[in-house]
Amino acid sequence: MERKKTKSRREFINSSMRFGMILALGGIGGLAFRRTTGDQWVWQIDPFKCSWCGRCATHCVLNPSAVKCVHAYELCGYCDLCGGYLIPGHSDRSTAAENQLCPTAAIDRKFIEEPYYEYKIDEDLCIGCAKCADGCSSFGNGSLHLQIMHHLCVNCNECTIARVCPSDAITRVKGSDPYLMKGDFTKSTGFED
Amino acid sequence: MGRKWPVILIVLLSAAIIIAVIVTEHTSTLPGRRPPNPFAYDVDEFRSVDQELIRWRETRQVQLDREDIRAMAYAGGKIYLAAGNELQVIGSDWSRILRRNLPGEPTCLAAAREGWIVAGMGNHLAILDSDGETIAVSEVLGAESNITSVAILDDDIYAADATGRRVLIFNRELELTGELRGDSGVSDVHGFIVPGAHFSLAVNPEDELWITNPGIHALQNYTASGRLRSYIQRSSFGIDGFSGCCNPVHFTFLPDGRFVTSEKGIIRIKVIIGTGEVESVVAPPELFRDGTRAPAVAAGDNGNILALDFDRNMIRIFEPI
């Protein structure tokens, strides 16, 4: 009768190491595959919770901040007297620096036709201070609002802005749909009060 | 000394921990310990009102039992309220005369002295009798229509459609008979500019139709044929005008024909005379919470002003001083 073959200690260690390495390689490959194809979670601002506190400009790990103002054009009234563009008590409704609310002159005002004006954000100049968003929401439709720009955001494990946000407006959203733009994502019936 | 050093060490360690906690607390940015916003949007100078201008005092507050009040109207000593799909009628002694569920949710109301009511229901209108029974319904004006204000003038009913930037005219059977677009065929008059869902109209004691043109901060008077007869236009962050995209949000008339306007942004209620000058301030911004809706306004037969405070779910009554 043939004696049952037993593994030597060396063989056992070798096969265990081979198995462990295959498992580790598989795990790394799986993680890499998930990172490239899977749905990552990223940080974003809920514009309906934002209270324009200014901390997005001062607390992001990036300087200038990865938070920028965006414009929901379908909500905008294209107003001549724009609360998001003009400083309260402006001397004149013009593009003169002293009349502009934005501290970095990041909003471009363009005449469309009487009495409509279009307002565009220069992302390179915007620091995400929310001053315009506050003015627009107070006196207008709230079409100017803040968003975390994902070509800039480094997606920190713990967002430093989220830590200090007083209105709990920084939330996690799916990487495949990373923006919460007003208009696309609205809690009203098309217009805001 | 040798036996005291552990005690000294503990005391020093405790002091170090206490100092560290105090310093951490002092430099913390957690709620309650935040430095002021260096980018604050400051409109405080426009919130303060010259006390000489405030010639009304709040004499009564009537708490409402619903939190979703959308509209208010006044006629013949009665207050008409819409909350969800419910119509409420309140008598002159503040007792509730009627509470009735409607087939739709009114967004605005107008009432005739005889007691019948017109309700704007978003994209259509309904006429109700004094018991809240529906007696006529208009055709649906399109899914995008948003009726924000209605008024009764003789046998016509005027409805402001904010989305369509037009005023629709109906007869008593709620058949559409006409439309105003505010352009009047004059080159420098460019129609109604309505950036938001704030487009209001009212009829004054002289039976004149007045319509807001909120994009240019104007109140405009139109003839029944749609001709612009006169207007008031004042743009200003100050008390002397209107600011933002949508002001005045609501307006009504006192029995002597003076305008009562209600604004958003810097929430305030003012009385304006025919030349557009501010005659007095009814309610300064300090009476309202920041960021809330502009109150709807109505004028009682006795000249008191009723303000529907959407934030506090109450009717606030103001009497002249």
Side-chain angles (χ1 to χ4, degrees), chain A:
Chain A
M1 194 172 167
E2 195 179 345
R3 197 177 158 206
K4 197 176 177 181
K5 194 179 176 184
T6 54
K7 269 188 182 173
S8 69
R9 183 179 294 166
R10 185 183 293 270
E11 282 172 338
F12 176 75
I13 289 169
N14 278 344
S15 60
S16 297
M17 282 182 73
R18 259 185 238 117
F19 181 73
M21 281 177 75
I22 289 165
L23 206 66
L25 276 171
I28 290 165
L31 277 175
F33 182 74
R34 186 160 176 263
R35 198 171 169 79
T36 50
T37 61
D39 224 352
Q40 216 183 339
W41 291 86
V42 294
W43 297 104
Q44 194 47 271
I45 298 169
D46 181 340
F48 294 98
K49 285 186 178 174
C50 175
S51 55
W52 322 290
C53 68
R55 283 175 179 77
C56 287
T58 55
H59 282 73
C60 182
V61 293
L62 299 177
N63 188 16
S65 172
V67 175
K68 305 288 178 190
C69 180
V70 294
H71 202 177
Y73 287 102
E74 64 266 44
L75 288 183
C76 180
Y78 293 81
C79 302
D80 181 10
L81 178 54
C82 173
Y85 181 81
L86 293 164
I87 197 162
H90 52 276
S91 58
D92 183 27
R93 239 174 276 174
S94 74
T95 56
E98 70 267 24
N99 294 325
Q100 293 189 39
L101 179 67
C102 179
T104 58
I107 305 178
D108 182 35
R109 170 180 158 109
K110 185 180 154 195
F111 175 72
I112 302 295
E113 64 173 54
E114 185 61 28
Y116 298 109
Y117 289 79
E118 184 185 67
Y119 299 91
K120 276 188 179 169
I121 311 297
D122 184 336
E123 193 185 293
D124 293 336
L125 293 178
C126 180
I127 56 168
C129 70
K131 207 168 181 176
C132 60
D134 194 352
C136 180
S137 297
S138 298
F139 291 98
N141 294 324
S143 57
L144 291 168
H145 60 100
L146 296 183
Q147 287 285 275
I148 295 171
M149 307 311 286
H150 288 290
H151 61 284
L152 301 172
C153 176
V154 291
N155 200 21
C156 301
N157 192 33
E158 186 183 20
C159 175
T160 53
I161 308 169
R163 276 189 66 230
V164 295
C165 177
S167 47
D168 202 20
I170 315 279
T171 184
R172 280 291 211 186
V173 297
K174 282 186 176 176
S176 57
D177 191 13
Y179 292 98
L180 298 175
M181 286 288 290
K182 283 188 179 176
D184 300 338
F185 160 77
T186 180
K187 288 179 181 169
S188 68
T189 51
F191 288 106
E192 268 200 291
D193 278 318

Side-chain angles (χ1 to χ4, degrees), chain B residues 105-159:
Chain B
E105 295 193 358
T107 50
C108 50
L109 292 173
R113 291 195 76 82
E114 304 82 53
W116 57 277
I117 306 149
V118 180
M121 302 273 197
N123 60 6
H124 69 281
L125 302 182
I127 292 182
L128 317 167
D129 66 14
S130 55
D131 294 323
E133 191 72 46
T134 304
I135 50 180
V137 178
S138 76
E139 61 176 317
V140 173
L141 303 165
E144 299 256 307
S145 290
N146 187 7
I147 303 297
T148 52
S149 182
V150 282
I152 302 164
L153 176 53
D154 300 328
D155 283 333
D156 290 324
I157 290 153
Y158 291 84

